[in-house]
Amino acid sequence: MSPDKIISKKIAANLTASVISADPSTDLEQQLWAINWFDLKRKWVYDLYNQLVISHVKKIGATPIFKGQLKRSLIDSERLRRDMLLIVQYPKGIAFLNMISSKLFQLKGLLRASSVRHFQFGFMQRKSPVQDHQAAGTIYQGKLKYLVHVCEGSQAADFQSLLDFAASQDVFPHFVGNKSAMLGLQKSNSGLKTLDFMLNHVLVFSGFDDESLELFVQSGPYQEFLASKTNNYVGLFDRKI
């Protein structure tokens, strides 16, 4: 694999971590959005972990942009369904590797390992700007509702027609992205293994109420997008960040 498609860093005496391109257009020197998609075993432990590592995240110039917990499923999938979504924006791949190479960060990470299950982790490229705090030219003062859609299928996707339709329905894209890179780990004298990450796309939309988001999912343009993917999960989430 060419050097511009993989970056690696030794994070322990016998362990090297790598960020590996999963798309020809991925530039590992540009911003990457880390997708954490998982179930919770111990919520209080995970919340404590978040509090303890936020200083590490900010130190390398990263920013959590969305954290949501499942409220209700709209389109279920036993394979894809999870309780939690956390999206963190990293300035570039090496910044993420620098963060996880910290011994203190690794120690705190034991809390995460004990508090989650069915963990999916990988990186995406963002295809949309943040627009959900602005509606019809004015700042909305209420609490917005959130729709999360994760799916498998071809990397090719007609996002623009879906975004254009969303705008006509007072539904706002918060994050729309496709898989761009994966995290690999390699122990001494063994092969490189990548973390499980089966999601090709993640979409997060906001609306004024649950009903508007449900109608959006039921619409013709949205159903066409669903049909273009091999497996879909869609749910309403309560936003925590």
Side-chain angles (χ1 to χ4, degrees):
M1 186 174 291
S2 60
D4 61 331
K5 295 302 179 185
I6 181 171
I7 53 173
S8 302
K9 184 179 178 69
K10 192 172 184 178
I11 64 172
N14 65 340
L15 186 64
T16 298
S18 301
V19 178
I20 308 160
S21 172
D23 185 276
S25 65
T26 299
D27 184 348
L28 299 179
E29 291 297 316
Q30 298 297 318
Q31 291 180 336
L32 296 171
W33 283 261
I35 305 297
N36 302 259
W37 181 239
F38 57 94
D39 289 329
L40 279 175
K41 289 193 295 184
R42 300 178 183 87
K43 183 178 183 301
W44 74 270
V45 176
Y46 184 74
D47 289 342
L48 175 60
Y49 163 74
N50 282 175
Q51 295 171 22
L52 292 175
V53 300
I54 188 62
S55 60
H56 296 267
V57 172
K58 291 182 177 179
K59 183 178 179 179
I60 52 95
T63 306
I65 67 164
F66 182 84
K67 179 183 177 183
Q69 184 167 9
L70 175 64
K71 180 169 61 174
R72 178 162 54 91
S73 298
L74 298 181
I75 298 174
D76 212 346
S77 165
E78 184 177 353
R79 173 176 165 83
L80 295 182
R81 183 185 187 275
R82 300 290 188 272
D83 295 334
M84 298 289 298
L85 172 64
L86 172 65
I87 304 176
V88 182
Q89 177 185 332
Y90 288 93
K92 52 186 176 180
I94 192 61
F96 174 81
L97 294 178
N98 288 338
M99 181 185 74
I100 66 172
S101 68
S102 162
K103 304 305 181 189
L104 183 56
F105 180 87
Q106 293 172 19
L107 182 62
K108 295 174 181 178
L110 296 175
L111 292 173
R112 180 194 61 77
S114 69
S115 63
V116 305
R117 59 185 175 185
H118 305 144
F119 190 71
Q120 291 272 313
F121 180 87
F123 298 96
M124 290 199 165
Q125 293 174 317
R126 191 172 196 163
K127 297 299 183 183
S128 71
V130 175
Q131 297 180 9
D132 66 338
H133 293 297
Q134 186 168 342
T138 61
I139 301 300
Y140 179 58
Q141 300 297 323
K143 184 177 181 180
L144 293 166
K145 309 299 181 180
Y146 288 84
L147 174 81
V148 171
H149 178 178
V150 303
C151 55
E152 296 177 281
S154 168
Q155 287 287 79
D158 183 8
F159 290 125
Q160 194 55 54
S161 61
L162 186 61
L163 296 178
D164 290 343
F165 178 73
S168 71
Q169 303 298 305
D170 285 339
V171 173
F172 312 99
H174 184 66
F175 179 86
V176 175
N178 62 271
K179 181 190 294 186
S180 61
M182 302 180 72
L183 178 64
L185 297 173
Q186 185 173 17
K187 293 183 178 180
S188 300
N189 303 318
S190 65
L192 179 66
K193 296 182 178 180
T194 57
L195 268 65
D196 191 23
F197 191 53
M198 58 190 172
L199 308 180
N200 286 100
H201 303 290
V202 171
L203 303 91
V204 181
F205 290 95
S206 62
F208 298 124
D209 50 54
D210 290 350
E211 291 75 17
S212 63
L213 294 172
E214 291 183 59
L215 289 173
F216 177 53
V217 173
Q218 295 167 12
S219 69
Y222 206 102
Q223 291 297 311
E224 289 180 12
F225 183 82
L226 285 167
S228 71
K229 301 302 166 189
T230 56
N231 199 6
N232 298 275
Y233 175 78
V234 182
L236 297 177
F237 278 64
D238 285 328
R239 186 176 183 181
K240 307 300 181 181
I241 294 177

